[in-house]
Amino acid sequence: MIFAVSGSEGFVGKQVCKLLSDEGHEVLHIDIANGMDLCDAHIIDAVGRFDCFIHLANLVYVPASYEDPAKFYRVNYLTTLNALELCRKYGSRLVYISSYIYGTPQFLPVNENHPVCPFNPYAQTKVICEKLCEGYHRDFGIKVSIVRPFNLYGVGQTGKLLIPEIFNQLKSGAKQIHLRAASPRRDYVNVRDLARAIVACANDQSSYEVYNVCSGESVSVREITEIINKHLKNKVEFVFSESDRPNEVDETRGTYDRLRLLLGWQPSMTFEEGIKEIIEAEDL
């Protein structure tokens, strides 16, 4: 099979492309780093035929979505629209990588039938794009798998998210790590497990389906720091404040039962195993 992967050079995209290549599939790499801007409608004429489009090329950092919301709406909408147009052109499946869009949970664990409640500009773009996918499925018969990953982490992650920010400070030699509130709890999924889930969805035979990708367990910020300290060669001090981001959610914890029952996916590693893997990779 031939797979087109947007955001192919990114944190998740590299893992997905490797899995697909290892399985013997042909992969079309679509990434702005390669001069292929999915926001540009001309790309519809530049990409050859494929069987499935895996769409990862979105802006993702929540605080930045408050600083420049117009950019987030524009990029995330246009890249999804053009991915869908490519799928319409070739009659291909789309795997759209969404996000946690449930807001403050009304119940735990959160399943795919939980009401959608976007709580920041980034999450709002994801809801809009899911609706766009739904419309192309309804009106043009495009087969779609929606992937809703919970909090992502793993070897090679960069940026200002909690876990890479901790490791950035550790790599700089800091002995005292300053963080925000210690209590928020999140459900974390390792990047390699997410890549496995995405590839499973690429082989999905359903017409339209939504899948949570999560671990089924939540970990607090304080627990994360304790796990990290447990495996570091040299322990550090973690200092917490009480400041949080706007609209902070106290806890997220999902269920991946639908993905397990329909596609046979489940996490391959625990959170502690994933953290230990990062520490070993960074030689800390």
Side-chain angles (χ1 to χ4, degrees), residues 16-120:
V16 170
C17 291
K18 182 180 186 304
L19 274 181
L20 291 170
S21 297
D22 288 347
E23 291 183 1
H25 300 294
E26 181 180 346
V27 181
L28 306 179
H29 294 250
I30 300 172
D31 197 288
I32 197 164
N34 299 334
M36 302 185 75
D37 185 357
L38 194 56
C39 285
D40 187 345
H42 290 99
I43 200 168
I44 296 167
D45 299 319
V47 176
R49 183 174 294 277
F50 54 85
D51 300 295
C52 178
F53 194 110
I54 298 174
H55 181 32
L56 284 154
N58 273 190
L59 300 176
V60 299
Y61 184 51
V62 171
S65 74
Y66 283 97
E67 296 167 6
D68 194 350
K71 181 178 181 180
F72 268 71
Y73 282 103
R74 182 175 63 252
V75 170
N76 290 359
Y77 183 85
L78 288 176
T79 56
T80 306
L81 177 64
N82 290 332
L84 284 161
E85 276 294 287
L86 278 163
C87 290
R88 185 170 73 91
K89 177 180 179 179
Y90 295 124
S92 305
R93 169 177 291 279
L94 177 74
V95 178
Y96 175 66
I97 316 305
S98 185
S99 184
Y100 177 92
I101 55 173
Y102 302 111
T104 301
Q106 297 180 14
F107 55 81
L108 293 171
V110 173
N111 62 29
E112 293 86 353
N113 295 323
H114 187 287
V116 166
C117 183
F119 52 103
N120 55 57

Side-chain angles (χ1 to χ4, degrees), residues 183-187 218-221 223 249-253:
S183 60
R185 305 183 66 88
R186 295 291 181 267
D187 186 326
S218 66
V219 187
S220 72
V221 176
E223 288 168 342
V249 175
D250 289 336
E251 180 178 14
T252 64
R253 176 164 48 88

Side-chain angles (χ1 to χ4, degrees), residues 205-225:
Q205 298 302 308
S206 65
S207 178
Y208 186 95
E209 195 55 87
V210 178
Y211 298 103
N212 283 347
V213 183
C214 55
S215 70
E217 299 178 357
S218 66
V219 187
S220 72
V221 176
R222 187 179 299 279
E223 288 168 342
I224 291 170
T225 62

